[in-house]
Amino acid sequence: MPTPLEYAHNNRDTFLTELIDFLRIPSVSTQAARDADTLEAAHWVARAMTSAGLEHVEVIETKRHPIVYGDWLHAGSHAPTVLVYGHYDVQPAEPLDLWETPPFEPTIRDNYIYARGAADDKGQLYVHVKAVESYLRTDGRLPLNVKFIIEGEEEIGSQNLHEFISHNQTRLAADSALISDSSILGIGKPALVYGLRGNCHVMVDVTGPGRDLHSGSYGGGINNPINALAHLIARLKDEQGHILIPGFYDRVRPLSAEERELLARFPLDESDWLRETGAPTAWGEPEYTLVERLSARPTLDITGMYGGYIGQGAKTVLPARAHAKISMRLVPDQDPNEIIELFRQFAHSVMPPSVKIDIHGAGGSRAALIERDTPPMRAAAAAYEATFHHPAVFMREGGSIPVVNRFESDLGLPTVLMGFGLPGDRIHSPNERFYLPNFDAGIVTSIRYLGLLSQAE
Ligand code: BES
Ligand code: MN
Ligand code: MN
């Protein structure tokens, strides 16, 4: 009988074929036209969990996209329980014309698999399903109890998962959580993420005249909603990146000298990083370092705006409507609901009576800061090092995984963010990819981690 590690090695091609199948499903959670595909992805995950040997597998309905649960609880009551989290939903693939091969036709080039969701998060969550299978098909048992919770709303804020967690605390009870939905530093350089930013999102609709007007006949006498929106946007932030909404920074926990020192030692190669972005220079609050600005400072960004005539050629029109989507990244101890309220008050206070403004802001998540010196973190560092032959560094990440704060606050779980992505994976961008050697190494690391965690204290 092979060992779990040998089983994973021997079945590597099958695992990859299965992943390709998973990546073909366009489970874009934010697009209603993809709801049937998103549901299909949930059932795909459920079948994969069952065939790996997980039990009590269930596709649990929510108000929007289902949650997939499964467990294996035969390691005994003395053994710890780990809660594995991932998400089967993906970001929209648009703009489609910038993809070299279509986003839902997975293609392998030079050791990378290209597809929307390849690294975020289908390829990474599948690592743990295959680690479990490798144990159950060889040893016939796992070294500890596992529960899987794979959701379909991470990319839209995890609202229904939050509700599910607060109503199912016993079912989800565990000793620690494990998430692979982040990146390591570079090929062969593992990284444990101990900080994530929170987020909130607002949609702003500005309306003026009841219809689009001739810009000559009416221009000068009627305010233009796009101009009014542009004025608001210009007042949200100064040219150096300081956010001007009154009260926005009130709850920001200052960076301690110790943490600034830790972040200063973080090995970010600024020129490599800049080259990968394609931007001419770096930018942002001058009194903070790049690493601090990317992970430990809050942000405000317009993620989309539209209105007026955007077809070919010119049209002399004074548009009736203007829209903007705005994303804010939060740090400890900012509260997303409070930030949305501050935004609302500020926007209403600066908008002139010549236009109407409507603001929709919902949900959001708090930032997470995870203790670094815990038994699960030490086990994770050891599992990484055994696989990559390189010590793991700790890093704060600028992105958000909304559930992480809930794992800590609602379930009291120490969480390990053990990513297998690479900085150049282009998640959320065209030509998203996943480095195949990290798929293999991820399974190996997961197998080792489950073993080490079962003995950790
Ligand atoms: N996996 C990402 C978060 C992430 C990105 C972690 C890079 C580590 C490195 C996650 O899927 C994500 O994109 N989250 C969204 C959440 C938002 C829509 C609420 C994000 O950060 O934009
Ligand atoms: Mn993700
Ligand atoms: Mn994502």
Side-chain angles (χ1 to χ4, degrees):
M1 184 57 80
T3 64
L5 286 174
E6 286 163 351
Y7 177 90
H9 182 80
N10 298 341
N11 288 279
R12 195 250 171 210
D13 292 348
T14 314
F15 295 172
L16 180 56
T17 309
E18 293 162 0
L19 176 61
I20 289 172
D21 211 37
F22 189 18
L23 292 173
R24 279 187 210 284
I25 309 172
S27 46
V28 183
S29 51
T30 201
Q31 296 174 342
R34 298 295 202 187
D35 281 1
D37 299 302
T38 307
L39 180 63
E40 188 190 330
H43 285 281
W44 192 97
V45 170
R47 283 194 303 274
M49 291 194 335
T50 304
S51 100
L54 288 162
E55 301 173 348
H56 306 118
V57 174
E58 198 183 329
V59 175
I60 301 161
E61 263 181 52
T62 75
K63 280 184 221 138
R64 188 87 201 267
H65 303 299
I67 293 163
V68 187
Y69 175 86
D71 61 30
W72 190 92
L73 303 173
H74 306 292
S77 53
H78 55 282
T81 301
V82 61
L83 179 65
V84 180
Y85 164 87
H87 64 92
Y88 64 80
D89 66 321
V90 302
Q91 285 272 321
E94 286 78 5
L96 298 179
D97 55 311
L98 294 183
W99 284 79
E100 277 172 41
T101 49
F104 300 108
E105 291 173 28
T107 310
I108 295 168
R109 293 193 291 277
D110 301 331
N111 262 337
Y112 286 93
I113 184 160
Y114 289 79
R116 170 58 83 235
D120 187 12
D121 179 37
K122 288 173 172 171
Q124 295 204 59
L125 79 85
Y126 205 48
V127 156
H128 303 297
V129 178
K130 295 293 106 175
V132 164
E133 175 182 318
S134 300
Y135 273 109
L136 294 178
R137 296 278 172 84
T138 55
D139 297 353
R141 62 186 308 281
L142 284 159
L144 76 184
N145 303 305
V146 302
K147 297 177 178 179
F148 272 68
I149 183 142
I150 310 295
E151 69 154 324
E153 296 185 1
E154 196 275 345
E155 300 290 8
I156 53 173
S158 302
Q159 286 323 304
N160 288 311
L161 179 66
H162 294 164
E163 210 163 292
F164 180 80
I165 289 176
S166 53
H167 293 114
N168 290 272
Q169 307 213 358
T170 320
R171 189 176 188 182
L172 299 176
D175 299 285
S176 66
L178 172 61
I179 304 179
S180 293
D181 191 21
S182 54
S183 303
I184 59 174
L185 275 188
I187 291 175
K189 294 183 184 156
L192 287 162
V193 171
Y194 72 94
L196 289 163
R197 285 194 281 210
N199 84 294
C200 61
H201 199 265
V202 292
M203 313 256 197
V204 181
D205 299 317
V206 181
T207 51
R211 60 188 157 85
D212 287 7
L213 301 171
H214 188 292
S215 66
S217 313
Y218 295 90
I222 296 292
N223 198 1
N224 180 323
I226 301 184
N227 288 117
L229 178 59
H231 280 129
L232 166 64
I233 288 174
R235 295 177 67 169
L236 293 174
K237 207 167 150 177
D238 72 14
E239 274 104 333
Q240 297 186 309
H242 304 110
I243 295 155
L244 304 175
I245 300 171
F248 184 87
Y249 291 106
D250 284 2
R251 290 194 199 274
V252 170
R253 196 192 300 171
L255 282 173
S256 66
E258 184 213 345
E259 221 199 331
R260 292 195 86 167
E261 230 170 83
L262 181 76
L263 293 174
R265 288 202 303 271
F266 182 75
L268 178 73
D269 184 319
E270 294 205 14
S271 55
D272 276 2
W273 171 84
L274 186 64
R275 190 165 335 107
E276 199 266 315
T277 67
T281 68
W283 173 90
E285 294 174 296
E287 57 283 35
Y288 292 92
T289 67
L290 180 60
V291 170
E292 289 169 349
R293 297 192 318 261
L294 291 175
S295 59
R297 291 290 297 162
T299 66
L300 180 152
D301 280 289
I302 316 302
T303 57
M305 58 194 288
Y306 55 103
Y309 177 67
I310 56 166
Q312 192 178 23
K315 183 183 183 199
T316 48
V317 69
L318 197 164
R321 285 187 257 275
H323 311 270
K325 301 180 186 230
I326 299 168
S327 151
M328 288 168 269
R329 297 284 171 175
L330 310 179
V331 299
D333 299 306
Q334 290 176 297
D335 173 343
N337 292 321
E338 191 177 304
I339 293 294
I340 291 174
E341 198 42 46
L342 291 173
F343 181 96
R344 192 189 304 277
Q345 282 167 18
F346 180 65
H348 281 288
S349 76
V350 304
M351 269 306 181
S354 49
V355 291
K356 278 199 267 181
I357 180 169
D358 245 310
I359 296 167
H360 312 270
S365 66
R366 284 172 170 271
L369 260 192
I370 300 168
E371 226 185 293
R372 296 184 291 275
D373 193 18
T374 61
M377 282 285 201
R378 287 194 291 273
Y384 258 151
E385 189 161 353
T387 308
F388 289 89
H389 310 293
H390 193 283
V393 298
F394 282 107
M395 65 185 274
R396 273 177 85 151
E397 168 58 49
S400 311
I401 304 176
V403 79
V404 174
N405 185 279
R406 303 293 176 123
F407 278 167
E408 299 259 327
S409 64
D410 290 11
L411 300 176
L413 293 184
T415 301
V416 167
L417 293 161
M418 179 197 268
F420 300 107
L422 287 176
D425 281 347
R426 308 175 191 143
I427 63 170
H428 298 203
S429 297
N431 304 305
E432 177 179 350
R433 61 187 187 177
F434 188 33
Y435 185 55
L436 287 173
N438 276 13
F439 180 50
D440 306 328
I443 298 168
V444 170
T445 309
S446 176
I447 291 171
R448 292 201 167 114
Y449 177 64
L450 298 179
L452 290 165
L453 187 61
S454 73
Q455 284 150 22
E457 53 193 79

